[in-house]
Amino acid sequence: MSDPSIRQRKLDHVALAMSDAAVSACDPGWSDVTLVPVTLPETSPDDVDLALSFLGFDLRAPILIAGMTGGHPDVEKINAALATAAQAHGVAMGVGSQRAALLDPDLVPSYAIVRQHAPDAFICGNIGISQVLEGETGTDILARLVDMVEANALAVHINVLQELVQPEGDIKPGGAFEALGNMVAKSPVPVIVKETGCGFDQVTANRLKDTGIAAIDVGGMGGTSFTLIEGMRAETARDRRGARLAQTFSTWGIPTACSVLEVRDTGLPIIATGGISDGLQAAKALSLGAHLVGIGRKMLTAAVAGPEAAVEELGLIIEEIRISLALSDCRNLKQFATRQSVLSGKVALWQAHKQLTKSADGSDEKNIGGTD
Ligand SMILES: Cc1cc2nc3c(=O)[nH]c(=O)nc-3n(C[C@H](O)[C@H](O)[C@H](O)COP(=O)(O)O)c2cc1C
């Protein structure tokens, strides 16, 4: 059953996400993470190998182009440009929620285009926790989601606050862990659970791990904020309640860097998404324990300008990661993972709080804390 309001919402989201007003006023935490420079390194950027295996798939760099779009014919070009960049650089890519195409098969091409332009890339499908809760992810639906983009994994997005702010939102999260466990058991591909701007806490991450999911994308606070985007939509629709709630809760969430600290003890592969716009920030996220970094808005803006711009932007980010590792005198991600970053400000306080509340069997902390 086609729903024109979903199509329109997909377009609204892309247009509004391009505005600076869609970016959280909160810092994702990167300014509180310092990589320790090796003043005279013996590694040059050309020596650095960023290759890794993620969920059994070989990537040339630790990047996921965050799942953003699909669901309207006008966004097909954006997905094609993002996919061109993913294919060119050998990184992973997600698509936006595929629910629109489940309801209206005419919209399938706006997602399927990704596989045409990125035949060899790791592609991640996407569906909402609401659909999982409502039992809309039976075996046949999961097969449709995977087939649509020949997905290597499926992401389930969680966005409780966004749903509470949206006039059309409707979520009753009780039962989510059981429903996810059932979905994971039926899914033909690994399931990744992602937040979309509020981050994950440790307790939720541990419960998610027990459902059998394969990875967590922290989707932390500090980048694109769907609370702000829904607030803008509410203003336009003269929805006073939505506008008010979006304003009140605009800084609700866990900054991305802090959320990586929250979830890393799960031992699951971690994707750090939320407010990463260059390769140095990406390297800082990796230094905290992330395995991949997710990049949304920065790549969206480039992709709107066309495939060449998307390929160039992604190339620059990868070069910046390479330089960050070379300046740390590391030749690969494994070596880089053994280095300690220095934490300050909010991120150090977050770490200190975690150490205070850590259970007796807690593992050793990796980073040096300090509140300089
Ligand atoms: C226009 C737009 C649409 C998005 N749609 C989805 C979606 O359908 N499903 C999802 O899981 N995340 C969605 N996201 C969230 C991104 O995957 C990512 O978590 C978020 O943009 C934070 O990263 P950033 O700060 O680098 O933009 C969307 C983001 C943007 C900008």
Side-chain angles (χ1 to χ4, degrees):
M1 181 188 45
S2 155
D3 179 349
S5 70
I6 297 186
R7 284 184 177 217
Q8 187 53 44
R9 195 159 73 230
K10 299 290 153 190
L11 268 194
D12 288 353
H13 280 166
V14 170
L16 294 171
M18 306 277 289
S19 137
D20 287 346
V23 179
S24 170
C26 265
D27 180 6
W30 312 127
S31 55
D32 289 332
V33 180
T34 304
L35 302 178
V36 181
V38 174
T39 312
L40 190 53
E42 302 212 33
T43 310
S44 91
D46 289 343
D47 301 330
V48 175
D49 180 6
L50 293 177
L52 78 158
S53 170
F54 180 73
L55 303 183
F57 196 96
D58 291 335
L59 301 178
R60 294 210 321 259
I63 293 179
L64 167 77
I65 299 176
M68 288 182 283
T69 200
H72 193 290
D74 291 1
V75 297
E76 204 169 302
K77 272 199 276 189
I78 298 176
N79 260 347
L82 293 171
T84 302
Q87 176 74 17
H89 292 290
V91 306
M93 170 179 172
V95 293
S97 172
Q98 292 167 265
R99 180 165 177 251
L102 290 178
L103 296 172
D104 180 355
D106 286 351
L107 296 173
V108 166
S110 65
Y111 299 90
I113 188 93
V114 164
R115 195 38 103 186
Q116 290 157 30
H117 288 262
D120 306 312
F122 179 103
I123 300 294
C124 189
N126 193 294
I127 196 72
I129 189 74
S130 302
Q131 280 63 63
V132 177
L133 277 163
E134 282 157 24
E136 293 172 20
T137 47
T139 312
D140 50 333
I141 300 277
L142 292 173
R144 280 174 68 193
L145 293 173
V146 170
D147 289 350
M148 204 182 296
V149 290
E150 294 171 46
N152 303 92
L154 272 179
V156 175
H157 66 262
I158 296 181
N159 53 353
V160 177
L161 177 55
Q162 182 191 356
E163 294 268 355
L164 291 173
V165 172
Q166 265 180 4
E168 65 273 40
D170 116 71
I171 185 158
K172 297 177 192 69
F177 297 101
E178 196 185 335
L180 259 174
N182 290 335
M183 178 197 161
V184 169
K186 285 187 224 136
S187 177
V189 293
V191 174
I192 299 172
V193 174
K194 73 188 289 268
E195 237 294 338
T196 55
C198 291
F200 281 108
D201 62 285
Q202 184 173 4
V203 172
T204 303
N206 283 333
R207 293 191 70 189
L208 285 171
K209 184 182 180 182
D210 291 343
T211 67
I213 62 162
I216 295 186
D217 181 336
V218 303
M221 179 174 63
T224 305
S225 162
F226 274 88
T227 313
L228 292 174
I229 289 177
E230 291 307 336
M232 291 189 264
R233 289 182 67 234
E235 297 266 359
T236 311
R238 296 182 188 279
D239 163 19
R240 267 175 49 82
R241 172 193 168 273
R244 164 68 182 267
L245 293 183
Q247 190 182 24
T248 303
F249 290 97
S250 63
T251 55
W252 180 268
I254 304 176
T256 307
C258 302
S259 192
V260 174
L261 299 180
E262 286 286 314
V263 309
R264 66 182 179 181
D265 288 346
T266 59
L268 286 171
I270 299 165
I271 306 167
T273 307
I276 292 180
S277 56
D278 63 45
L280 177 55
Q281 292 172 343
K284 290 178 176 186
L286 298 171
S287 82
L288 293 181
H291 298 81
L292 293 189
V293 296
I295 304 178
R297 187 170 189 271
K298 189 78 176 187
M299 286 306 302
L300 178 71
T301 313
V304 166
E308 296 81 11
V311 171
E312 183 187 37
E313 179 58 46
L314 190 53
L316 284 171
I317 293 170
I318 292 171
E319 188 179 357
E320 288 167 340
I321 302 178
R322 210 181 276 290
I323 292 175
S324 303
L325 262 69
L327 291 174
S328 307
D329 208 9
C330 291
R331 285 176 171 263
N332 53 48
L333 294 168
K334 216 169 165 187
Q335 214 180 353
F336 189 58
T338 65
R339 293 300 159 86
Q340 292 183 327
S341 43
V342 179
L343 307 186
S344 56
K346 182 170 58 182
V347 180
L349 287 173
W350 202 285
Q351 163 123 311
H353 169 76
K354 275 194 64 58
Q355 274 167 334
L356 277 178
T357 54
K358 201 166 62 165
S359 60
D361 69 323
S363 53
D364 287 336
E365 298 293 337
K366 176 171 176 278
N367 302 87
I368 303 165
T371 48
D372 57 356

